[in-house]
């Protein structure tokens, strides 16, 4: 075979192959076309069918007034709603696991069909049915259900949650009474008091929508406490009250002790509606008054045993414990507000040598006006015994009796009165301008000089004895001044006779002189 023939045969074969390839492609296109038509056509037919179907059927997932009417025609929807209404029971879920029910039949609940269902269906777009596959269609018709509201009101008023025996008022969180753990926050009590008007309106709406339950808690139908245990203002007030009540002030009065702590302080604390904590200052003052009345010895009538062995009552004077009440109230109030815990001596205007019935102690000066004699004891030991001259009785300058404290002592003082200015070396006042001092102008002491030749009220002492007293005495030492019949240091009758004899002699001398 020639080369030309071979080439010709190849060309014919290529044309045949191309023709066969085109035929195959055409066949595939036809199969694809017919296949697509086969798929699309049923889908389209199904869409059109369901579009027509949902023209007179409610969507899938359609709910009317709480009743499922999925894929139902109007008559079927009416039957479904009727069935639901006939068995309707409204349950009220209350606190404390209590529940109550109202039956639809008892309140005359029934269905009224006035064409509203048809109107709802007419508004439904049948062509949009695919959307119903993915969402719920909730619809409401206000005129579908009716009931007898007067019957509802009767059953509503009979609910147990309104029975007074079951109603618990809500209680706010609050601060407890003071106890062994101090003050504590008492958690709020929710109570069971229902807002009747609110619940009534919610029930009417629930019945119309055939809702099966109402949770009074979720519907916020309860009267709630206004203050809960997490209230920051309440917590702050708690801290302040515990701080103040946590104070502990101990007073020691010799063998006696007074402890002021939370048991008493808590009675003085109040809390108002704004969480302001107040410490009752009247209560604090009354407590300080109690301390003063109990332990003050200022001006007390004292039982005193003299150096002569007699036990006497000594009235008057300003010696003793004398509480500075205004200062103590102020300082104690400040300590309480700070919550301090300490042992404290009260603020005093004046103190004594010791606490107890005998507040004089064993260091004191005993002044017997009757005997014109004194004793000075220091720490129980007699360090000085001396005669003296007291206030002039004939001029009504008599030295007052009583118990007094040494006010101070001073060297080289000048005693000034209305008609005198007398310098002294040792001055120890105990009763205003009355005190012990040296009397260098006197040669004798004791006896009855004080009756007609006494001082202006002071205790005149021999200089050496005044010096010894000055060196051993200090401010606050008690001076007990008294009179004790039978301890005179002179013979009263003999002294009287001598005075009368002196008077007679004077008169005789005068008469003789006159005659001469």
């Amino acid at each position: 075979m020639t080369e030309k023939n071979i080439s010709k045969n190849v060309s014919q074969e290529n044309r045949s192959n191309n023709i066969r390839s085109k035929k195959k492609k055409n066949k595939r296109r036809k199969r694809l076309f017919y296949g697509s038509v086969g798929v699309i056509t049923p889908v389209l037919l199904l869409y059109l069918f369901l579009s027509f179907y949902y023209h007179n059927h409610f969507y899938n997932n359609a709910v009317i007034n709480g009743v499922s009417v999925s894929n139902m025609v109007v008559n079927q929807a009416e039957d479904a709603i009727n069935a639901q209404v006939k068995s309707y029971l409204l349950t009220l879920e209350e606190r404390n696991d209590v529940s109550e029910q109202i039956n639809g039949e008892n309140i005359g609940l029934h269905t009224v069909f006035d064409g509203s269902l048809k109107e709802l269906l007419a508004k439904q777009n049948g062509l949009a049915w695919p959307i119903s596959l993915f969402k719920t269609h909730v619809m409401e018709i206000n005129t579908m259900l009716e009931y007898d509201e007067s019957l509802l009101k009767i059953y509503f008023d009979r609910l147990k949650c309104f029975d007074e025996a079951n109603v618990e008022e809500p209680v706010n969180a609050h601060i407890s009474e003071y106890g062994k753990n101090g003050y504590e926050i008492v958690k709020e009590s929710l109570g069971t008091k229902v807002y009747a008007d609110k619940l009534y309106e919610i029930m009417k709406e629930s019945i119309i929508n055939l809702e099966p339950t109402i949770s009074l808690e979720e519907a916020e139908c309860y009267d709630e406490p206004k203050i809960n245990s997490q209230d920051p203002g309440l917590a702050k007030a708690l801290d302040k009250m515990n701080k103040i009540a946590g104070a502990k002030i101990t007073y020691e009065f010799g063998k006696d002790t007074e402890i002021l702590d939370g048991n008493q302080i808590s009675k003085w604390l109040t809390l108002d509606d704004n969480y302001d904590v107040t410490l009752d200052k009247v209560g604090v003052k009354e407590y300080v008054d109690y301390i003063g009345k109990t332990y003050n010895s200022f001006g007390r009538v004292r039982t005193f045993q003299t150096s002569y062995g007699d036990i006497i009552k000594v009235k008057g004077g300003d010696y003793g414990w004398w509480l500075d009440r205004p200062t103590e109230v102020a300082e104690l109030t400040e300590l309480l507000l700070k919550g301090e815990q300490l042992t404290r001596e009260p603020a005093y205007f004046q103190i004594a040598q010791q606490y107890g019935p005998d507040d004089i102690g064993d260091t004191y000066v005993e002044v017997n006006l009757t005997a014109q004699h004194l004793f000075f004891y220091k720490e129980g030991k007699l360090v000085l015994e001396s005669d003296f001259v007291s206030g002039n009785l004939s001029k009504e300058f008599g030295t007052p009796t009583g118990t007094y404290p040494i006010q101070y002592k001073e060297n080289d003082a000048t005693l000034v009165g209305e008609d005198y200015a007398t310098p002294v070396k040792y001055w120890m006042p105990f009763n205003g301008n009355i005190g012990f001092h040296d009397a260098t102008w006197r040669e004798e002491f004791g006896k009855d000089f004080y009756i007609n030749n006494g001082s202006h009220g002071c205790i005149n002492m021999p200089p050496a004895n005044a010096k010894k007293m000055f060196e051993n005495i200090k401010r606050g030492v008690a001076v007990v001044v008294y009179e004790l019949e039978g301890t005179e240091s002179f013979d009263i009758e003999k002294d009287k006779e001598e005075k009368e004899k002196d008077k007679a002699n004077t008169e005789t001398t005068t008469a003789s002189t006159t005659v001469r």
Side-chain angles (χ1 to χ4, degrees), residues 4 8 26 34 47 52 76 107 110 129 144 154 214 226 295 332 338 358 366 370 409 420 428 451 483 489 497-498 506:
K4 184 177 181 180
K8 183 178 180 181
N26 289 335
Y34 291 129
Y47 171 77
F52 178 77
Q76 291 174 324
I107 59 174
H110 62 278
W129 64 265
M144 283 189 62
I154 291 173
I214 298 175
K226 304 300 185 292
Y295 298 100
L332 178 57
K338 291 180 178 179
D358 175 19
E366 178 183 340
T370 306
K409 60 182 182 177
Y420 66 91
M428 297 157 280
I451 297 175
E483 295 174 342
S489 60
E497 289 176 2
E498 289 178 353
T506 302

Side-chain angles (χ1 to χ4, degrees), residues 295-302 314-323 348-353 359-360 400-408 428-436 475-481:
Y295 298 100
N296 270 355
S297 60
F298 179 86
R300 175 192 294 171
V301 176
R302 290 176 172 80
V314 182
K315 299 179 181 179
D318 59 2
Y319 176 83
W321 297 100
W322 183 12
L323 185 66
Y348 288 107
F349 287 119
Q350 177 178 284
I351 63 173
Q353 293 299 300
D359 58 352
I360 293 173
T401 59
T403 308
Y404 307 90
I406 292 292
Q407 297 167 1
Y408 60 90
M428 297 157 280
F430 59 82
N431 179 14
N433 291 326
I434 297 175
F436 301 105
R475 182 178 183 274
V477 169
V479 178
V480 183
V481 185

Side-chain angles (χ1 to χ4, degrees), residues 406-427:
I406 292 292
Q407 297 167 1
Y408 60 90
K409 60 182 182 177
E410 181 181 357
N411 270 128
D412 301 320
T414 299
L415 308 183
V416 179
E418 292 182 3
D419 56 355
Y420 66 91
T422 305
V424 297
K425 183 69 174 177
Y426 309 107
W427 172 231

Side-chain angles (χ1 to χ4, degrees), residues 486 488 490-498:
E488 294 85 355
F490 55 91
D491 188 328
I492 296 177
E493 294 299 326
K494 183 178 180 180
D495 186 62
K496 184 177 181 181
E497 289 176 2
E498 289 178 353

